[in-house]
Amino acid sequence: MTDIVEKLSKKIDEWRREAKVLLEKGHDKILSEVTVAQAYGGMRGIRTLICDTSRVPQDEGLIIRGMHLNKLVDKTPEEIYFLLLTGDLPTDEELNQFSLELKKRKNVPNYVWDVLKAMPKDSHPMAMLGTAILVMQKESVFAEKYDSGLKKEDYWKATLEDALNIVAKIPAIAAGIYRLRFNKGEIILPDPEMDWTGDYVHMLGINTKSEDFKDLMRLYLVAHCDHEGGNVSALTTQTINSALSDLYYSLSGGFNGLAGPLHGLANQESLKWILEIIEKFGGTPTNEQLKDIVWETLNSGKVIPGYGHAVLRVTDPRFDAFLSFGKKHFPNDPVFLTVSRLFDIVPVELKKVEKIKNPWPNVDAASGSLLYYYGLKEFSYYTVVFAVSRSLGLAAQAVVNRAMLFPIIRPKSVTTRFVKDLVS
Ligand code: CMX
């Protein structure tokens, strides 16, 4: 364990020194001003958080520690986790040690399975995931060490322990949820030798022989890893974490946000919508039929799932990565073909709706169709796969925030009376 701790210790000293200088020099510099419209509008665009694990420029999409996603699509989740945590891609030796560290920690306590088995059979898989993480709270190294008087400067070390433990175990928990919730037979235990992606596929127990499916899962787990600090799941996780609640509390809270249809559940909604369309037309509809469906959906007051974004103003590079994968491996699959055709139709139509700021697809427009092709057909499970990946970024952000000694998050609210007085 010393290597990552040693590496991070050096980095953190540097990050802290840098922040101190920046704060001294730029104490009064203004990052953002807040308008009434922003206060009523989900705080969109207000710059008020520091997040170095990744950034999302509106015209580029995900950049992880300074590297654009399209340069990282061949990496493994282990490499990406190391990058998120430290700011560097690992050397071969660092990667070996880091991967071993995760392998050592993969076993899930038995009581997690007892709790999951006791849940109602029709529980949403995301409710099961949040519950599983929360019920493991008693394992928190941070909570234990905090109780025995850990120094503030070292909070990050105990948080790193939690971050490694949770990330190491989450594929087994997620795969167990899949098997329990969808009656797939006995839970498959982790293989101590397998890597993070390979073991997840092995424990899901579907399509385990397909290298293409494994490669898709690797890409999926890389692409969803982080999306800067202000999205619902990141902000929720870091707000809870800032109260010095441990990562089990924080992450399960963040996942509850990810479970919403405007956030991570959009991949489930998107595939559901596409399958309904295919069923209605008895196959992949024509462009003209799709155009009608888009307007039928909009006119009924629903959103087009997988399209639009709070930050992005271009096609999400994660969508591009999935579209390329589908085009390479199964361009004529009816579900994938519908996804491709929708990409030709939906932006043109959404551009006609003035209030929609971004007509382009986000990650959730394509991801489900790929999982579906390989036999992962239970679309209420898709947000869980998203969450497995997102645990990397959320956990890394929590470690970094503890390292930077950030205080409890506590913005100020105002009353309607206050705004009335201001406006008049
Ligand atoms: N279909 C229909 N209407 C849409 C739309 C879409 N895909 N995207 C935005 N709009 C609407 C909004 O609902 C909003 O309408 P109201 O003012 O009547 O409430 C209006 O256009 C303005 O929204 P916006 O400023 O363009 O976008 P927001 O920042 O408010 O919302 C998002 C962003 C993602 C919630 C929204 O685009 C949406 O609901 N998309 C569909 C759901 C989805 O794909 N979510 C996944 C996002 C990725 C993720 O976080 O995982």
Side-chain angles (χ1 to χ4, degrees):
M1 179 56 185
T2 47
D3 270 9
I4 178 104
V5 174
E6 242 169 59
K7 185 169 177 107
L8 266 174
S9 295
K10 284 194 197 123
K11 290 268 175 180
I12 287 165
D13 282 349
E14 212 176 291
W15 296 340
R16 283 179 183 166
R17 264 200 308 276
E18 190 179 44
K20 192 163 174 273
V21 174
L22 285 175
L23 262 171
E24 276 163 14
K25 272 198 186 159
H27 197 260
D28 295 328
K29 292 261 188 243
I30 292 170
L31 282 174
S32 258
E33 281 173 330
V34 182
T35 63
V36 170
Q38 286 172 311
Y40 276 93
M43 300 191 277
R44 207 71 82 252
I46 302 172
R47 295 193 203 100
T48 186
L49 299 159
I50 306 290
C51 174
D52 285 323
T53 54
S54 67
R55 62 194 184 92
V56 182
Q58 62 173 30
D59 52 355
E60 288 183 82
L62 178 60
I63 294 182
I64 303 170
R65 292 284 195 181
M67 302 176 80
H68 196 283
L69 177 71
N70 61 25
K71 299 267 179 310
L72 296 169
V73 287
D74 294 327
K75 302 289 175 203
T76 63
E78 287 89 335
E79 289 174 287
I80 297 293
Y81 194 27
F82 193 93
L83 174 66
L84 285 162
L85 281 164
T86 66
D88 296 330
L89 279 168
T91 61
D92 288 349
E93 200 190 323
E94 284 172 333
L95 182 60
N96 273 343
Q97 286 226 327
F98 188 62
S99 304
L100 266 179
E101 203 53 60
L102 292 175
K103 284 178 181 166
K104 261 175 20 197
R105 299 164 186 255
K106 4 173 120 166
N107 286 329
V108 177
N110 273 333
Y111 63 79
V112 173
W113 306 128
D114 295 340
V115 169
L116 291 178
K117 283 176 185 165
M119 287 182 77
K121 296 283 166 263
D122 55 352
S123 298
H124 194 281
M126 278 302 284
M128 296 174 80
L129 182 67
T131 302
I133 301 292
L134 190 59
V135 79
M136 289 198 301
Q137 186 278 332
K138 72 186 203 66
E139 312 292 334
S140 170
V141 175
F142 176 81
E144 189 198 337
K145 293 212 166 161
Y146 182 83
D147 273 351
S148 42
L150 187 64
K151 280 201 314 230
K152 193 172 178 181
E153 286 68 30
D154 291 336
Y155 283 176
W156 71 267
K157 290 183 185 157
T159 305
L160 177 65
E161 285 286 340
D162 288 350
L164 293 171
N165 283 332
I166 294 176
V167 165
K169 292 175 197 336
I170 204 166
I173 294 170
I177 289 171
Y178 179 70
R179 298 190 67 79
L180 281 174
R181 175 63 180 75
F182 301 106
N183 302 315
K184 299 288 175 182
E186 288 298 304
I187 287 166
I188 301 172
L189 293 177
D191 180 326
E193 299 304 322
M194 284 190 181
D195 66 13
W196 207 64
T197 307
D199 209 13
Y200 188 20
V201 171
H202 151 78
M203 292 181 286
L204 282 168
I206 48 166
N207 230 336
T208 48
K209 298 264 180 318
S210 162
E211 282 304 311
D212 287 348
F213 179 51
K214 197 179 151 196
D215 197 40
L216 170 67
M217 290 298 275
R218 180 201 55 72
L219 175 64
Y220 195 112
L221 296 172
V222 165
H224 289 81
C225 69
D226 202 35
H227 224 225
E228 67 173 43
N231 64 75
V232 167
S233 49
L235 185 56
T236 307
T237 303
Q238 302 323 325
T239 303
I240 300 174
N241 192 54
S242 80
L244 298 187
S245 299
D246 60 60
L247 196 55
Y248 294 84
Y249 283 125
S250 325
L251 200 60
S252 64
F255 283 167
N256 292 341
L258 192 69
L262 296 188
H263 193 11
L265 199 81
N267 55 13
Q268 160 183 337
E269 302 281 299
S270 174
L271 190 66
K272 195 164 146 226
W273 183 64
I274 288 165
L275 293 180
E276 279 164 11
I277 295 174
I278 290 176
E279 197 185 321
K280 180 169 171 176
F281 292 100
T284 307
T286 63
N287 286 10
E288 213 38 52
Q289 287 167 326
L290 283 175
K291 190 171 151 189
D292 292 345
I293 284 288
V294 168
W295 282 104
E296 206 177 283
T297 306
L298 290 172
N299 291 337
S300 69
K302 292 185 192 145
V303 295
I304 307 293
Y307 282 78
H309 201 270
V311 173
L312 285 174
R313 296 295 176 260
V314 289
T315 297
D316 191 332
R318 301 171 299 175
F319 173 85
D320 282 334
F322 290 138
L323 197 72
S324 304
F325 188 97
K327 281 189 172 157
K328 182 172 164 201
H329 293 282
F330 40 85
N332 297 320
D333 169 68
V335 178
F336 179 74
L337 201 55
T338 308
V339 168
S340 315
R341 283 193 187 162
L342 281 168
F343 181 39
D344 295 332
I345 303 294
V346 177
V348 177
E349 302 311 315
L350 291 189
K351 276 183 196 167
K352 297 175 186 161
V353 184
E354 209 184 322
K355 67 178 181 178
I356 298 178
K357 296 194 189 66
N358 175 34
W360 302 107
N362 61 61
V363 66
D364 298 322
S367 54
S369 68
L370 308 185
L371 298 176
Y372 194 81
Y373 176 82
Y374 286 109
L376 216 171
K377 298 205 162 174
E378 297 79 6
F379 41 78
S380 66
Y381 184 72
Y382 292 174
T383 313
V384 173
V385 191
F386 188 152
V388 171
S389 171
R390 189 52 63 91
S391 70
L392 304 176
L394 299 179
Q397 286 188 22
V399 174
V400 174
N401 290 0
R402 286 273 160 77
M404 297 308 288
L405 311 173
F406 287 157
I408 187 164
I409 293 174
R410 197 348 181 150
K412 183 87 186 114
S413 59
V414 294
T415 59
T416 305
R417 174 83 258 163
F418 179 96
V419 181
K420 267 187 194 161
D421 291 348
L422 183 80
V423 170
S424 65

